[in-house]
Amino acid sequence: MDKPKTPFSWKRKRSHKKGMDRLITDQILKAFFHYTTDTVSISDMDGDIILVNQAFENYYGWSLEEVRSKPSCFIPDDLIIETRQLFEAVRSMGVHITNYETIRKRKDGELIHVTLSATPIVNEAGTIIGASCITRDITDRKKTEEALKATEAKYRLLIDHTQDIVSIYDDSLKLIYVSPSIEQQLGYLPDEYTPQSGMDIVHPEDKSLLLAKQQEILATKMPLQFEARVKDKEGKWISFEIRGIPFVNDTGAVQNIMLVSRNVMERKHSEAALLKSEEKHRIIAEHTDDFIMITDTNGDVVYLSPSHERIHGNRKQSGIVTLIDVHADDRPRVVEHFKKLLSTKEPQTCEFRYHCVNGTTIVLESKGVPIFAPSGECDGFIIVSRDITERRNNEDLLRKTEKLSMIGELAAGIAHEIRNPLTALKGFVQLLSPSLNEKKMYADIMLSELERINFIVSELLVLAKPQNVQIRHISLVDLLNNVLALLASEANLNNIHFHTSFPESPIIAGEENQLKQVFLNIIKNSIEAITGHGAIYVSIRLLETDQVIVRLADTGCGISEDILPRLGEPFFTTKEHGTGLGLMISSKIIKDHNGSLHITSRKDEGTVIEITLPIARG
């Protein structure tokens, strides 16, 4: 019996393997379709989406049902027409689209950058029956590219607008770029600055240096810095500080060299001015009468001014600071001030006695000031000492003069009180003398002693009268300038500045030394009332009554209103070591010159003293 015939018996045997291959291929395609991270969508010839993979739903947030009901839901409104035209070309003409960059919209409204690849789907007959679309998220890449473009734009903006000249050369040292700042710095337009002109304007002595540094950058691949001179368009030589920076490619070779050139002419001028200033200060230090000493933080002497030769006999340039020549009684005070200088890093002033090499003892006023490095750390100390022996002697003399004047005042009072009863005693003795007879000898002895007492009283009155007084015409401005010049050094030591205003130069009549004593007392009081730093203002003003007012104002500690009325009383003072006689004597001198003295003051607001004097007639 013949086997039944089947129309596909031959093909069935061959199609078994072909069916298996197709099954495997379908499984691979399904796995790719469902598990790929790229979004995949299938659309029919009408443009309706009939299938999407899981990645599509996860990425866009739209389900297949939502996309079927609204095919353009994940396409921005302004790109719908463009997208339809693209896929119309795929479906109608079989166009393949690869990595087309566009924008898609998620369900939450976020716009994302994607690359789109679309291909036509054909059947076994080769007829296009739909289209497939694969999109890949490139949002991060786009952000990176935009950030890179923004960075490049910033650097380009920086280079184009920096005052430094930026020039870039290739590995053969050919100029390929120069920044626009070359016009501002040298006067050349960027187009005028060519490789040939670039070397022509370099100083002949610096050309070889420039080429050598460029070769060094190529060889070492390391940045370096140097200086060179370049001629501007007007022919002047400009000094530039140049920093060379290599650009290394992926192979490790130098591809470009960038030179950043900064104009340092202003710095050069400043350095020259600094050197000149240092030279001036060195001359001052070498020729000043003050004793200047600089030490490091360990107390080692690093500099001594030549003026030390007068007290040391030689000029030591090294060694440790010692106190062997300081008076024994003053050493603890000097040590205390120096320790305070070390701990507080604030200026300190100390006065002490010093034994010179010639055996004499002088009084020094030393001011120690810390030297700070740019980092803010203390780098050492500078100690300036001034010989104030003569000033101290003058002050002692002034104090003695005040005491003598006070004795005169007391003597005048005593003489006045004694003469009244003395006159009565002498009169009654003379009256009784004729009636005493044998006792007349005793009356004569009493009269003789009374005459002796009268003589002593007359001698006391001499103390109260000014001696060698010479009244003459005096220029008030000259007198004030002389007093200020005398006290200038003391004011400078105390960081006090004098400010004068003398619009007129009146002539007064008086005893010059006495008036000087008045202004010395008052200005010294102002200096002693100022702590730290301050100012004393001295001015004159003419009145219509042929008088002149001298106004002396300071920025000192001031005087409280409750003790202001007592100023000028004998032995009343607000100073620790004062006697209270200076102002009393000053008031008497001004009064003797037919003038007046008026004081106004407030605590912590300073003091103002106004002295009114008559202007000399004729």
Side-chain angles (χ1 to χ4, degrees):
M1 184 177 178
D2 295 333
K3 293 181 180 180
K5 293 182 180 180
T6 10
F8 304 103
S9 59
W10 176 76
K11 289 184 179 181
R12 185 177 299 165
K13 185 176 182 180
R14 292 187 60 192
S15 64
H16 179 69
K17 183 177 180 181
K18 187 174 181 180
M20 289 298 294
D21 291 343
R22 181 176 295 175
L23 179 61
I24 294 173
T25 302
D26 289 344
Q27 290 176 350
I28 292 173
L29 289 174
K30 287 179 180 180
F32 169 77
F33 183 81
H34 288 292
Y35 299 111
T36 181
T37 57
D38 296 334
T39 66
V40 182
S41 59
I42 306 296
S43 59
D44 57 18
M45 293 299 290
D46 296 328
D48 296 328
I49 295 178
I50 59 175
L51 187 62
V52 296
N53 67 345
Q54 189 63 42
F56 184 97
E57 295 185 0
N58 295 338
Y59 187 68
Y60 290 114
W62 304 96
S63 65
L64 178 60
E65 289 74 15
E66 291 172 322
V67 174
R68 281 178 176 175
S69 62
K70 190 178 180 182
S72 302
C73 61
F74 60 97
I75 301 174
D77 294 341
D78 57 336
L79 295 177
I80 291 177
I81 296 176
E82 175 186 303
T83 303
R84 287 177 180 173
Q85 291 175 348
L86 289 175
F87 280 90
E88 182 65 27
V90 173
R91 287 189 293 267
S92 61
M93 295 181 289
V95 175
H96 290 252
I97 299 174
T98 305
N99 294 330
Y100 181 81
E101 292 188 7
T102 185
I103 297 175
R104 290 294 180 258
K105 181 173 65 175
R106 287 177 175 168
K107 191 174 182 179
D108 58 7
E110 180 186 359
L111 299 178
I112 54 176
H113 291 270
V114 298
T115 57
L116 179 149
S117 297
T119 56
I121 300 175
V122 297
N123 58 15
E124 293 179 353
T127 303
I128 297 175
I129 59 174
S132 67
C133 177
I134 300 175
T135 59
R136 178 169 295 176
D137 183 8
I138 59 168
T139 304
D140 292 339
R141 192 191 80 188
K142 277 291 185 181
K143 289 181 179 179
T144 303
E145 291 176 353
E146 290 175 0
L148 181 60
K149 289 180 180 179
T151 302
E152 289 178 350
K154 288 180 181 178
Y155 281 114
R156 169 63 67 175
L157 189 65
L158 176 64
I159 291 175
D160 287 345
H161 293 85
T162 182
Q163 292 185 352
D164 297 340
I165 301 176
V166 180
S167 53
I168 300 178
Y169 299 81
D170 60 16
D171 55 355
S172 63
L173 303 183
K174 181 182 178 181
L175 179 70
I176 58 177
Y177 172 81
V178 64
S179 62
S181 55
I182 190 172
E183 182 178 3
Q184 178 184 356
Q185 295 292 339
L186 297 176
Y188 301 104
L189 295 174
D191 295 339
E192 297 175 333
Y193 190 75
T194 62
Q196 294 76 20
S197 64
M199 290 304 297
D200 289 341
I201 64 175
V202 177
H203 196 282
E205 298 177 3
D206 297 338
K207 286 183 180 180
S208 57
L209 173 67
L210 177 60
L211 294 174
K213 292 298 182 181
Q214 288 177 326
Q215 293 294 341
E216 185 177 346
I217 294 174
L218 291 173
T220 62
K221 304 174 186 177
M222 296 293 294
L224 53 83
Q225 190 168 306
F226 58 96
E227 287 190 10
R229 290 160 291 179
V230 179
K231 184 169 59 176
D232 65 9
K233 202 167 185 178
E234 296 179 355
K236 295 185 297 185
W237 293 106
I238 309 295
S239 293
F240 283 90
E241 183 180 74
I242 303 173
R243 181 170 179 82
I245 304 169
F247 293 161
V248 182
N249 58 21
D250 296 337
T251 63
V254 177
Q255 182 175 352
N256 298 106
I257 297 176
M258 182 172 69
L259 299 182
V260 181
S261 306
R262 174 164 295 179
N263 189 331
V264 293
M265 288 302 295
E266 185 175 350
R267 190 190 74 189
K268 291 288 185 182
H269 292 319
S270 299
E271 290 174 352
L274 180 61
L275 289 174
K276 189 175 181 180
S277 176
E278 289 177 348
E279 180 67 16
K280 289 181 180 178
H281 285 88
R282 186 190 65 80
I283 293 174
I284 294 173
E286 294 291 328
H287 295 87
T288 182
D289 289 334
D290 294 339
F291 311 121
I292 302 174
M293 177 172 61
I294 300 177
T295 71
D296 58 18
T297 52
N298 298 322
D300 293 332
V301 178
V302 296
Y303 173 79
L304 284 176
S305 62
S307 53
H308 281 79
E309 294 181 6
R310 296 205 307 270
I311 57 174
H312 288 297
N314 57 2
R315 186 183 178 190
K316 299 177 182 178
Q317 289 293 343
S318 61
I320 302 295
V321 177
T322 64
L323 303 178
I324 189 171
D325 294 322
V326 177
H327 195 284
D329 296 340
D330 298 339
R331 288 174 191 169
R333 184 167 68 255
V334 174
V335 172
E336 180 183 353
H337 278 79
F338 192 72
K339 286 182 178 179
K340 192 173 182 181
L341 176 64
L342 291 175
S343 60
T344 63
K345 302 297 187 297
E346 294 179 354
Q348 299 293 326
T349 302
C350 179
E351 187 177 309
F352 57 89
R353 290 163 289 178
Y354 196 91
H355 300 301
C356 299
V357 70
N358 59 5
T360 60
T361 299
I362 62 175
V363 181
L364 292 180
E365 185 180 63
S366 293
K367 184 172 184 179
V369 180
I371 303 172
F372 292 101
S375 61
E377 296 182 356
C378 181
D379 200 25
F381 302 93
I382 179 170
I383 301 170
V384 180
S385 303
R386 175 166 294 182
D387 185 356
I388 60 170
T389 307
E390 184 177 354
R391 190 176 81 191
R392 286 289 171 258
N393 293 337
N394 291 336
E395 290 174 353
D396 292 339
L397 182 61
L398 183 59
R399 282 194 291 269
K400 291 178 182 178
T401 303
E402 291 179 352
K403 290 180 181 179
L404 290 174
S405 179
M406 187 59 192
I407 292 172
E409 293 284 341
L410 293 174
I414 293 171
H416 178 73
E417 295 298 326
I418 291 176
R419 270 190 166 179
N420 289 334
L422 190 63
T423 303
L425 287 173
K426 185 178 179 181
F428 284 119
V429 170
Q430 288 175 340
L431 182 64
L432 295 173
S433 179
S435 62
L436 291 177
N437 297 325
E438 316 128 355
K439 307 269 184 159
K440 189 173 182 300
M441 177 184 66
Y442 297 109
D444 292 339
I445 293 173
M446 292 177 65
L447 286 173
S448 175
E449 292 302 320
L450 288 172
E451 287 293 336
R452 178 174 172 80
I453 294 174
N454 190 47
F455 175 76
I456 293 173
V457 170
S458 298
E459 288 295 313
L460 288 174
L461 287 175
V462 171
L463 292 175
K465 296 177 181 178
Q467 304 298 313
N468 299 323
V469 176
Q470 297 179 357
I471 302 297
R472 62 188 183 89
H473 286 188
I474 306 167
S475 170
L476 182 58
V477 172
D478 291 344
L479 187 144
L480 290 172
N481 284 330
N482 289 337
V483 173
L484 294 176
L486 184 62
L487 296 173
S489 59
E490 184 175 355
N492 289 334
L493 285 175
N494 292 278
N495 292 326
I496 298 172
H497 300 283
F498 291 143
H499 300 274
T500 60
S501 176
F502 304 144
E504 302 287 342
S505 182
I507 303 298
I508 61 175
E511 211 290 324
E512 184 175 3
N513 291 328
Q514 289 186 354
L515 292 175
K516 280 186 177 179
Q517 182 181 355
V518 171
F519 293 117
L520 279 170
N521 286 342
I522 293 174
I523 296 176
K524 275 183 61 63
N525 287 342
S526 295
I527 292 175
E528 293 171 0
I530 297 174
T531 58
H533 63 275
I536 297 176
Y537 300 88
V538 184
S539 62
I540 60 175
R541 178 167 55 90
L542 300 182
L543 302 178
E544 295 180 356
T545 56
D546 290 334
Q547 289 179 311
V548 59
I549 293 182
V550 181
R551 188 176 188 271
L552 301 104
D554 63 56
T555 59
C557 59
I559 304 170
S560 58
E561 295 181 358
D562 55 336
I563 65 173
L564 194 60
R566 297 193 60 192
L567 293 180
E569 293 181 7
F571 304 108
F572 176 80
T573 179
T574 59
K575 296 186 290 186
E576 183 178 358
H577 302 291
T579 63
L581 300 177
L583 191 57
M584 182 192 72
I585 294 172
S586 299
S587 299
K588 183 179 182 303
I589 292 174
I590 295 300
K591 187 177 181 180
D592 292 340
H593 283 74
N594 297 321
S596 62
L597 187 149
H598 181 67
I599 302 174
T600 57
S601 181
R602 287 188 179 181
K603 192 69 175 176
D604 300 325
E605 293 185 11
T607 302
V608 177
I609 298 179
E610 291 185 341
I611 298 173
T612 305
L613 291 170
I615 298 175
R617 296 183 178 275

